[in-house]
Amino acid sequence: MDNLLVSVFLLIGLSLTVLMCYQESKNRKISFVGALLLCIIATPLIGYFIISNFRSRNPKGCKWCGNERNEVEFCGVCKKNIEGVTKISVGADNH
């Protein structure tokens, strides 16, 4: 009975790991095999955090300065978000 329970948990964990690696390899600049090997070597949870630091395959970009590699809310070059509000002016509203 214990062997069956362990086998079921291992099968579920392996299935979730494969599905997560497939999904993240579609969104990030890492191959599926590379993501899977990383998750097997570093455990799935730690592997997920490592994979999430890879660049996005389709970054949003910045419509204000033309920075094509912008992946975050506020652009690293012009410091504006999608509405054109700068990061500095957002912080000034709190005072």
Side-chain angles (χ1 to χ4, degrees):
M1 186 66 174
D2 288 336
N3 289 338
L4 179 64
L5 190 60
V6 170
S7 298
V8 168
F9 279 121
L10 286 175
L11 186 60
I12 290 171
L14 183 62
S15 299
L16 290 174
T17 301
V18 169
L19 290 172
M20 184 271 302
C21 289
Y22 177 71
Q23 174 190 352
E24 289 300 315
S25 67
K26 285 175 39 177
N27 296 329
R28 303 277 173 190
K29 288 188 176 182
I30 186 171
S31 68
F32 170 71
V33 175
L36 189 60
L37 286 174
L38 187 65
C39 284
I40 290 172
I41 293 170
T43 75
L45 186 60
I46 295 171
Y48 175 76
F49 288 115
I50 294 171
I51 291 169
S52 67
N53 288 322
F54 279 81
R55 291 196 177 274
S56 177
R57 287 191 188 271
N58 300 313
K60 296 186 291 189
C62 178
K63 69 178 186 178
W64 302 104
C65 70
N67 179 10
E68 296 176 357
R69 295 174 53 179
N70 183 42
E71 297 179 8
V72 293
E73 181 181 1
F74 289 96
C75 178
V77 176
C78 68
K79 309 288 190 248
K80 293 182 181 178
N81 65 3
I82 197 162
E83 288 118 17
V85 178
T86 62
K87 195 173 196 176
I88 297 167
S89 64
V90 171
D93 292 343
N94 292 336
H95 297 296

